[in-house]
Amino acid sequence: MTKGRIFSGMQPSGKFHLGNYMGALENWVKLQHEYECFFSIVDWHALTSSYEDTSKIPERIHEMALDWLSAGLDPERNVIFVQSHVKEHAELHLLLSMMTPLSWLERVPTYKDKLQQLGVQGKDINTYGFLGYPELMTADIILYKADIIPVGEDQLPHLELSREIVRRFNNLYQPIFPEPKPSLSKSAILPGIDGRKMSKSYGNEIPFAASPDELRARVRLMVTDPNRVKRTDLGNPDVCTVYTFHKIFNAEQSNEIAQSCRQATIGCVDCKKCLADKMVNNLADMHVRRQELEKNPGRVKEILVYGGERARVVAAKTMEEVRQAMNLA
Ligand code: TRP
């Protein structure tokens, strides 16, 4: 007995950092033990806002698969696949587009915001495909009749639209699809090494693929309490990025660390070393898995082909029902 079926996807938009992992992927790794899961690298979605230069797509798909597998997503337990390998996503997207009022798409709050925001950056995404972003997302989800969708808060308006589209389809034709419900993943709490939000554009990120040595180097660069200049100065852990990381990666010792910092019985160098040891230790399994996979890139490809085949079986069955319901069979 499974509790339900999960679908989620991510755009292959470059290398993960540790904040991305903690924000979403860590949650998926837990969910895989409780639900039947479909996880898709949504390359067509990446084209909706970035269609001019497609040269990096294969490399980014490979990197994303590496990140997912290193994190511990099990390719047997879950169906892990690339969206464009399963053409049924495109067929269902087309059929849904026939019955979706334009106004529903235009009023999705993220639509105009993002159009404007990307326009300022000089990107012209006044396209049919970009408007249809949540339409494609709906096709992704309902093709597998998924009912639980782990996403970040930013995706809630899209899911609301998905439910409206599902209701319309079920009313017009036949009640084939369940209404997908969001399962909110708690937002990332991990700051960057300078204490601001972790982001590649700030250069403050810790790469998810960092080796133990690279991890240690990033921890050494972390910003500490600016008022603690000398080793003997009393510190304030509440304004220290290293301490924020201790709370996440070294929870059991974090009270002790805070006290030692306040009393200056530990210095920042040792405090960072202690954190780096914990982080290296916590992430050790992932490094091992990544190293194994990096030795064998063909294996990653195989896993995606295998996932695509399994996804297609489910997708083809749903499409048969859809065609029947719409008299297209
Ligand atoms: N829009 C999602 C994001 O950017 C990615 C996505 C595409 C997705 N299709 C999906 C998420 C289906 C959940 C379900 O995060």
Side-chain angles (χ1 to χ4, degrees), residues 86-106:
V86 184
K87 311 301 178 200
E88 283 81 356
H89 289 247
E91 184 183 354
L92 187 53
H93 171 261
L94 174 88
L95 294 176
L96 295 178
S97 78
M98 303 301 170
M99 72 197 71
T100 305
L102 204 48
S103 60
W104 289 11
L105 290 165
E106 284 167 341

Side-chain angles (χ1 to χ4, degrees), residues 37-153:
C37 300
F38 289 74
F39 295 123
S40 183
I41 299 176
V42 290
D43 51 349
W44 281 339
H45 271 104
L47 292 176
T48 61
S49 53
S50 192
Y51 53 84
E52 281 159 325
D53 180 4
T54 56
S55 59
K56 302 232 160 48
I57 293 178
E59 176 187 325
R60 287 184 175 164
I61 290 175
H62 181 80
E63 277 166 1
M64 177 151 276
L66 256 181
D67 284 337
W68 288 10
L69 297 167
S70 316
L73 283 188
D74 177 344
E76 284 298 334
R77 189 183 277 278
N78 311 290
V79 179
I80 297 175
F81 71 103
V82 179
Q83 182 187 38
S84 67
H85 291 183
V86 184
K87 311 301 178 200
E88 283 81 356
H89 289 247
E91 184 183 354
L92 187 53
H93 171 261
L94 174 88
L95 294 176
L96 295 178
S97 78
M98 303 301 170
M99 72 197 71
T100 305
L102 204 48
S103 60
W104 289 11
L105 290 165
E106 284 167 341
R107 73 162 194 243
V108 172
T110 47
Y111 173 63
K112 286 211 170 68
D113 292 354
K114 199 142 182 227
L115 200 60
Q116 218 234 346
Q117 190 192 325
L118 292 178
V120 172
Q121 296 169 20
K123 267 193 182 167
D124 179 12
I125 47 165
N126 241 310
T127 58
Y128 182 45
F130 184 67
L131 180 67
Y133 185 105
E135 187 88 324
L136 182 57
M137 194 166 148
T138 305
D140 295 344
I141 294 167
I142 69 177
L143 194 49
Y144 304 96
K145 301 190 182 180
D147 40 17
I148 305 158
I149 318 301
V151 283
E153 210 167 355

